[in-house]
C-alpha cells in the first residue's frame, strides 16, 4: 500500500518541532480514503509524544490538497453503499479533522498551490495557517451537490464570521486568494511563493521556544472555549452529507465535474 504521509521529528529548538508531509507525488494531492486514514494516524501518533511541541503539516509543492478524491475506487464505491455503510464510511473525514484539532501540540499548515474542499477542511482544523501569496482556496462541495462537512462550518465560522463563511461555502466556484484569505482571517500569514513551509517553520520555532506545558494548556483552554458548542451545532453533519449524497443533484454535480461541464441542478 502506498505511503502518502511521512513524519520527521527532531527539528528546531531542542528538537521540539515535527514535520508531517502529505504528498502523493502527483501535483494534485487528492484525499483518497486511504490518505484520510494515514493523515488521521499521523495526528494520533503524537498523542503520547512529550518531546514534540509543534507539528507543521505541509502538502506538495504544487498543492496542499485538491480535497476528496472523486476518482478513487474506494471513494466511488460509496454510490453503491446502503445508508448505514455510507454513514460509517463518510466518518473518515470528520475523524481526520477531529484528530488534528484535538492534538496537544500546536499545529501549523504550510499551504502552497491550491487548497480545495477537504484540504480547506483540514487546514481550518489546525491552529495556524501560512499560505503562499500565489496560492488559493476553494470550497466546491455545494457545486457537487453536497454540503460542506467534516465539521468545517463551525471552524470557519469562528475564523471568519457568518457572512464570509456563507460566501466561501455557497459561492462554490469562487477562488479565495491568499490576500483575501489573510484579510478575512482564514490564514494568519502570507509568504512568498515557494516559501510557505519556511515561514511556517519560522513560526514553529517561535512557538517551540515557549514552555511546552503552558503552551499545551493554553491551546486546550482556547479550543474548549471556542469550540464548546461545535458538536451541538454540527451533530447532523454526517447525516446531512449522507442525505445530500443520495440526491439527484449530487449525481449531476459529480457527473458534470468528471465530464468538465456546467451542472444543471433541479433541487431533487
Amino acid at each position: 500500500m502506498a505511503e502518502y504521509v511521512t513524519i520527521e521529528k527532531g527539528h528546531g529548538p531542542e528538537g521540539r518541532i515535527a514535520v508531517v508531509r502529505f504528498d502523493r507525488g502527483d501535483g494534485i494531492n487528492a484525499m483518497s480514503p486511504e490518505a484520510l486514514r494515514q493523515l488521521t494516524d499521523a495526528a494520533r501518533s503524537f498523542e503520547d509524544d512529550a518531546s514534540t511541541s509543534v507539528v507543521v503539516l505541509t502538502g506538495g509543492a504544487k498543492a496542499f490538497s485538491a480535497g476528496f478524491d472523486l476518482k478513487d475506487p474506494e471513494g466511488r464505491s460509496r454510490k453503491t453503499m446502503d445508508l448505514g455503510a455510507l454513514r460509517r464510511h463518510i466518518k473518515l473525514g470528520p475523524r481526520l479533522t477531529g484528530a488534528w484539532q484535538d492534538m496537544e501540540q500546536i499545529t501549523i499548515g504550510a499551504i502552497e498551490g491550491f487548497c480545495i474542499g477537504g484540504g480547506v477542511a483540514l487546514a481550518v482544523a489546525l491552529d495556524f495557517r501560512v499560505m503562499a501569496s500565489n496560492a488559493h482556496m476553494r470550497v466546491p462541495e455545494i457545486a457537487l451537490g453536497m454540503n460542506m462537512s467534516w465539521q468545517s462550518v463551525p471552524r470557519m465560522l469562528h475564523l471568519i464570521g457568518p457572512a464570509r463563511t456563507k460566501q466561501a461555502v455557497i459561492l462554490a466556484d469562487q477562488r479565495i486568494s491568499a490576500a483575501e484569505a489573510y484579510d478575512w482571517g482564514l490564514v494568519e500569514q502570507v509568504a512568498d511563493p515557494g516559501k510557505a513551509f519556511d515561514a511556517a517553520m519560522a513560526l514553529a520555532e517561535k512557538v517551540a521556544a515557549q514552555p511546552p506545558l503552558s503552551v499545551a494548556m493554553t491551546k486546550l483552554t482556547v479550543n474548549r472555549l471556542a469550540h464548546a458548542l461545535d458538536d451541538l451545532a454540527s451533530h447532523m453533519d454526517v447525516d446531512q452529507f449522507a442525505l445530500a449524497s443520495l440526491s439527484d443533484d449530487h449525481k449531476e454535480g459529480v457527473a458534470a465535474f468528471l465530464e468538465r461541464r456546467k451542472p444543471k441542478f433541479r433541487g431533487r
Side-chain angles (χ1 to χ4, degrees), residues 78-113:
R78 287 179 174 181
K79 63 184 179 181
T80 62
M81 293 179 183
D82 60 54
L83 184 58
L86 179 62
R87 290 183 75 249
R88 288 189 293 273
H89 198 268
I90 61 180
K91 288 180 181 179
L92 288 172
R95 191 176 295 143
L96 161 69
T97 57
W100 278 89
Q101 178 174 290
D102 292 342
M103 288 175 65
E104 184 170 280
Q105 293 81 6
I106 293 294
T107 55
I108 304 172
I111 301 169
E112 294 281 353

Side-chain angles (χ1 to χ4, degrees), residues 127-143:
D127 296 308
F128 302 108
R129 289 145 293 277
V130 178
M131 192 172 180
S133 60
N134 61 344
H136 72 268
M137 293 183 172
R138 187 164 63 88
V139 184
E141 274 74 3
I142 282 185

Side-chain angles (χ1 to χ4, degrees), residues 22-267:
F22 168 50
D23 190 356
R24 298 184 65 174
D26 59 3
I28 297 175
N29 243 21
M31 294 178 172
S32 63
E34 178 56 28
L36 295 179
R37 295 185 186 99
Q38 291 185 25
L39 281 163
T40 302
D41 289 344
R44 290 176 173 171
S45 73
F46 289 95
E47 287 179 355
D48 296 316
D49 185 351
S51 63
T52 300
S53 299
V54 190
V55 177
V56 175
L57 173 63
T58 184
K62 296 181 179 179
F64 183 74
S65 176
F68 189 74
D69 190 349
L70 294 175
K71 297 181 180 180
D72 180 81
E74 183 183 349
R76 296 189 71 177
S77 70
R78 287 179 174 181
K79 63 184 179 181
T80 62
M81 293 179 183
D82 60 54
L83 184 58
L86 179 62
R87 290 183 75 249
R88 288 189 293 273
H89 198 268
I90 61 180
K91 288 180 181 179
L92 288 172
R95 191 176 295 143
L96 161 69
T97 57
W100 278 89
Q101 178 174 290
D102 292 342
M103 288 175 65
E104 184 170 280
Q105 293 81 6
I106 293 294
T107 55
I108 304 172
I111 301 169
E112 294 281 353
F114 48 82
C115 178
I116 299 175
V120 176
L122 176 54
V124 298
L126 306 177
D127 296 308
F128 302 108
R129 289 145 293 277
V130 178
M131 192 172 180
S133 60
N134 61 344
H136 72 268
M137 293 183 172
R138 187 164 63 88
V139 184
E141 274 74 3
I142 282 185
L144 295 169
M146 301 181 288
N147 63 307
M148 181 60 171
S149 59
W150 301 6
Q151 293 194 322
S152 304
V153 170
R155 295 181 183 116
M156 293 179 70
L157 186 64
H158 295 312
L159 290 171
I160 61 179
R164 290 299 192 192
T165 298
K166 293 172 188 173
Q167 182 177 355
V169 175
I170 294 175
L171 300 181
D173 62 346
Q174 176 179 336
R175 286 188 174 190
I176 304 169
S177 68
E180 288 173 324
Y182 179 77
D183 184 55
W184 292 6
L186 197 52
V187 301
E188 286 67 47
Q189 188 175 340
V190 175
D192 290 335
K195 298 295 183 182
F197 177 73
D198 293 341
M201 289 296 287
L203 176 59
E205 290 191 7
K206 293 179 181 179
V207 175
Q210 305 303 316
L213 294 178
S214 297
V215 170
M217 288 188 287
T218 299
K219 170 178 173 170
L220 179 62
T221 299
V222 172
N223 278 7
R224 288 292 185 268
L225 289 169
H227 301 289
L229 298 179
D230 284 5
D231 285 339
L232 177 63
S234 59
H235 73 286
M236 289 293 290
D237 186 293
V238 168
D239 290 329
Q240 287 176 349
F241 190 90
L243 182 62
S245 296
L246 299 175
S247 69
D248 288 343
D249 279 349
H250 171 60
K251 296 174 185 175
E252 167 63 10
V254 172
F257 171 79
L258 295 175
E259 295 166 13
R260 299 187 177 183
R261 60 173 174 82
K262 286 190 176 182
K264 295 180 180 179
F265 297 125
R266 304 184 186 279

